[in-house]
Amino acid sequence: MRREGLDRVVRAWTAPLVAGLDTARVSPMALTFTGLVANLAAAGVVAAGHPRWGALGLLAASLLDTLDGGLARRQGRASRLGAFLDSTFDRISETAIFVAILRDINASQWGPWWLPEVTLLALAGSLAVSYVRARAEGLGEECKVGWLERPERVVLLVLGLALGRAALGFALFALAALTWLTVVQRIAHVWGKLARSDQDRA
């Protein structure tokens, strides 16, 4: 399914929740901040050595992350500040959950010796995927291509945490590989667009 089609499906599924929040007069900004707190709480649970409970927390936090944009659009309150905070809080949340996983690995001494390095590569790749898009959009070019955007990364993390540490190790390895492949995809995409644009201006 194409990204646009998936976005439409998610919006349709969450529409009743968005409508309920609107009726309750919940502020989109309040939802954004609540999502950050929920993500940090989920990371704390993982760091304390309870990955399955952390998976539930991360899933709930991700739902909040999905709802705030839809609520802002419904209320006519979509803003550049909201978009900025949403994107920034996503990066903070991702960093927190990977740091929590590292804490659990070191505290419980599970997984092969190279797993902490793979976790750091997955974190760096996740941040790089988002940075390439942000930098491209700062130059006026859209960049939503690639295999592993944030929703896919969250799904892999939730599944890994929920299915146990062996599954989490596999999820981290997959994240490390696929995020960097996504970075390459995005660089190639933006390279082509900017090169053509520069040639047209020459």
Side-chain angles (χ1 to χ4, degrees):
M1 180 182 292
R2 293 176 62 87
R3 170 64 56 184
E4 296 81 1
L6 181 60
D7 287 344
R8 283 195 296 271
V9 170
V10 170
R11 288 184 186 183
W13 285 351
T14 57
L17 289 174
V18 170
L21 290 167
D22 184 32
T23 300
R25 297 184 180 179
V26 174
S27 162
M29 195 70 75
L31 210 58
T32 299
F33 277 91
T34 303
L36 173 64
V37 172
N39 273 295
L40 295 179
V45 171
V46 172
H50 307 289
R52 288 190 171 90
W53 286 110
L56 289 175
L58 182 58
L59 191 61
S62 299
L63 177 60
L64 293 174
D65 290 341
T66 302
L67 295 173
D68 59 358
L71 183 62
R73 287 188 293 271
R74 182 182 177 91
Q75 294 180 350
R77 300 170 72 177
S79 66
R80 291 190 301 168
L81 174 59
F84 167 76
L85 289 176
D86 188 52
S87 180
T88 301
F89 288 177
D90 282 349
R91 306 294 79 75
I92 294 171
S93 298
E94 277 192 294
T95 301
I97 196 70
F98 279 111
V99 170
I101 291 169
L102 273 173
R103 173 74 177 83
D104 182 52
I105 292 171
N106 291 329
S108 302
Q109 295 294 309
W110 64 273
W113 63 268
W114 42 260
L115 191 58
E117 284 78 6
V118 167
T119 305
L120 287 173
L121 280 173
L123 169 58
S126 296
L127 296 178
V129 167
S130 300
Y131 175 79
V132 173
R133 175 178 172 179
R135 189 70 185 95
E137 291 178 346
L139 294 171
E141 297 291 348
E142 189 175 77
C143 184
K144 296 182 180 180
V145 301
W147 292 336
L148 226 60
E149 295 192 65
R150 177 163 166 76
E152 291 85 0
R153 298 197 299 271
V154 170
V155 167
L156 275 174
L157 282 172
V158 167
L159 288 175
L161 290 166
L163 295 176
R165 287 176 170 145
L168 180 56
F170 176 80
L172 291 169
F173 186 84
L175 282 162
L178 294 175
T179 52
W180 284 105
L181 284 174
T182 302
V183 169
V184 171
Q185 285 178 298
R186 290 191 165 184
I187 290 174
H189 173 76
V190 176
W191 185 323
K193 295 186 76 172
L194 292 179
R196 287 191 297 272
S197 177
D198 290 344
Q199 285 177 352
D200 291 340
R201 293 178 183 177

